[in-house]
Amino acid sequence: MSRVYNFSAGPAVLPEEVLQEAADEMMDYQGCGMSVMEMSHRSKVYDTIIKEAEADLRELMNIPDNYKVLFLQGGASQQFAAIPMNLMKNKKAAYIVTGQWAKKAYQEAKMYGEAVEVASSADKTFSYIPDCSDLDIPEDADYVYICENNTIYGTKYQTLPNTKGHLLVADVSSCFLSEPVDVTKYGVIYGGVQKNIGPAGVVIVIIREDLITDDVLPGTPTMLKYKTQADNDSLYNTPPCYGIYICGKVFKWLKKMGGLEVMKQRNEEKAKILYDFLDQSKMFKGTVEPKDRSLMNVPFVTGDADLDAKFVKEATEAGFVNLKGHRSVGGMRASIYNAMPKEGVEKLVAFMKKFEEENA
């Protein structure tokens, strides 16, 4: 069977050459006589793998020296607790709720202190990003939290919130490495890698060094202290070695492609093909306010649940898989991450046109 066009929101499509390289090295990594899956995380060979991955990520994102890069486990969802445990010094934080993951993070933070919802787009099913230019942020809030790209709802902050001098913490899981980013605007920027970077099981946390202290909430587990992980270069215990190795290969692929400026152009081109079609289609409609559209996740509907189901079924048979929308919103969603080739989007649009003609 030939490979399908995989529009999954995550775990998601990976660059084919990365998969091919990993396959070639599966039995014997660079002449060491074993697979990366089998080697000690304390070995010289593995030390080179994780250090190179970090160096390449630093180069891609232009990460300043006063930020630590941590390769952790537990997915982005575990950071919903780790962030308040490490950062809630005044036991207060501001949350902007623009989707399911921001909402979960906000609910988790309430267990550790006073989480204040300073803005939300729940009134219109999270189909837009609220105006964050002049929010009522409590003076003593320890940080302002956002989920920058909302995978389920297909929205993205085009402008970061005005935090009024407060620390910004951002979950960038589904827009990680899709475009250039100014890391200095954030105190913590983190994301699960299974959408745009690698296999599930790794979360990358980029955190400013002054935020890494022993001054954490009482009862914070050793493993969830950023200091534990930072002091041990992400090797306090056995990390997700193989996942980090694949992430490292994706970083090298991104560098080879020309870096994040080039990825942004490519991603804008791909998204434009799909959004332009949705804007003129009589059958399919995008669900997001145009100014807040994500380049990564594109939700759309026909307005008829049966027709939606028929479309997903026929698309799957034609080799366009994982187009069913998230169970909380229904409809369809095409996730078009870095590794989705432009031709995948072009062919999807051609299929949608054909479906529209046949089912008009």
Side-chain angles (χ1 to χ4, degrees):
M1 183 184 172
S2 60
R3 281 175 64 77
V4 294
Y5 288 109
N6 178 10
F7 292 94
S8 169
V13 61
L14 284 167
E16 283 192 17
E17 63 189 83
V18 167
L19 296 173
Q20 192 54 62
E21 233 175 76
D24 294 343
E25 293 172 347
M26 178 55 84
M27 299 300 286
D28 177 8
Y29 176 73
Q30 298 188 0
C32 77
M34 62 178 144
S35 169
V36 176
M37 278 190 189
E38 306 169 285
M39 67 178 57
S40 165
H41 60 295
R42 307 276 177 212
S43 66
K44 269 200 169 65
V45 186
Y46 191 75
D47 197 54
T48 305
I49 291 173
I50 193 169
K51 285 202 167 72
E52 255 185 44
E54 179 177 337
D56 287 337
L57 180 62
R58 283 186 175 277
E59 189 184 323
L60 278 167
M61 289 180 75
N62 203 8
I63 300 172
D65 290 344
N66 66 323
Y67 282 74
K68 284 271 195 218
V69 173
L70 308 174
F71 294 100
L72 308 176
Q73 301 180 72
S77 297
Q78 186 157 283
Q79 296 305 310
F80 299 168
I83 285 157
M85 284 174 162
N86 283 271
L87 303 182
M88 258 193 187
K89 316 292 184 201
N90 298 324
K91 291 286 200 80
K92 191 179 284 186
Y95 279 72
I96 301 171
V97 179
T98 51
Q100 191 159 316
W101 303 113
K103 187 178 174 184
K104 285 187 172 176
Y106 163 63
Q107 286 166 338
E108 189 83 9
K110 287 182 183 173
M111 293 164 61
Y112 303 101
E114 189 188 340
V116 184
E117 187 184 287
V118 292
S120 168
S121 52
D123 61 328
K124 292 185 184 166
T125 331
F126 301 121
S127 58
Y128 71 103
I129 297 288
D131 177 2
C132 298
S133 58
D134 186 20
L135 299 173
D136 188 11
I137 298 165
E139 200 53 50
D140 57 346
D142 292 299
Y143 58 86
V144 175
Y145 182 101
I146 63 169
C147 179
E148 199 162 317
N149 186 95
N150 297 285
T151 327
I152 295 174
Y153 299 97
T155 56
K156 161 90 164 58
Y157 286 79
Q158 311 301 336
T159 313
L160 291 175
N162 172 7
T163 64
K164 301 185 174 174
H166 294 82
L167 195 70
L168 180 63
V169 175
D171 173 354
V172 296
S173 294
S174 51
C175 58
F176 223 159
L177 301 184
S178 62
E179 56 183 43
V181 57
D182 180 356
V183 175
T184 62
K185 290 183 174 171
Y186 307 82
V188 180
I189 180 169
Y190 79 93
V193 304
Q194 71 276 12
K195 297 171 183 299
N196 219 12
I197 304 172
V202 185
V203 58
I204 297 172
V205 176
I206 300 161
I207 176 168
R208 215 171 61 213
E209 280 178 349
D210 61 289
L211 301 172
I212 303 170
T213 67
D214 275 324
D215 177 21
V216 296
L217 295 189
T220 299
T222 305
M223 284 287 292
L224 293 191
K225 289 178 185 168
Y226 291 135
K227 193 166 186 340
T228 303
Q229 303 291 352
D231 287 354
N232 292 281
D233 297 322
S234 305
L235 294 165
Y236 174 74
N237 70 328
T238 313
C241 299
Y242 196 80
I244 294 166
Y245 151 79
I246 300 284
C247 292
K249 287 205 175 299
V250 172
F251 301 154
K252 288 201 186 305
W253 176 77
L254 286 166
K255 280 170 63 175
K256 194 175 110 181
M257 298 298 286
L260 303 189
E261 279 292 349
V262 172
M263 292 321 293
K264 184 182 188 199
Q265 288 166 358
R266 281 177 40 131
N267 289 327
E268 284 174 343
E269 270 175 40
K270 286 189 301 190
K272 187 178 189 309
I273 293 166
L274 188 45
Y275 285 126
D276 282 356
F277 169 69
L278 290 171
D279 287 344
Q280 60 83 48
S281 168
K282 292 193 166 45
M283 176 178 284
F284 298 102
K285 294 277 170 282
T287 58
V288 172
E289 283 195 16
K291 68 177 175 55
D292 299 322
R293 284 170 166 173
S294 163
L295 296 179
M296 297 284 100
N297 311 101
V298 184
F300 55 97
V301 294
T302 64
D304 176 334
D306 291 339
L307 199 56
D308 286 354
K310 183 180 187 208
F311 173 79
V312 170
K313 181 175 180 289
E314 291 184 12
T316 305
E317 286 161 5
F320 305 101
V321 305
N322 294 315
L323 281 165
K324 192 172 191 285
H326 190 272
R327 59 188 178 278
S328 63
V329 270
M332 283 72 68
R333 170 182 52 180
S335 293
I336 48 176
Y337 298 123
N338 285 342
M340 172 58 68
K342 184 175 165 186
E343 71 165 33
V345 182
E346 289 169 340
K347 287 182 175 175
L348 173 65
V349 166
F351 177 81
M352 290 168 77
K353 279 182 180 156
K354 182 167 156 283
F355 183 89
E356 182 166 341
E357 284 161 16
E358 288 168 0
N359 295 273

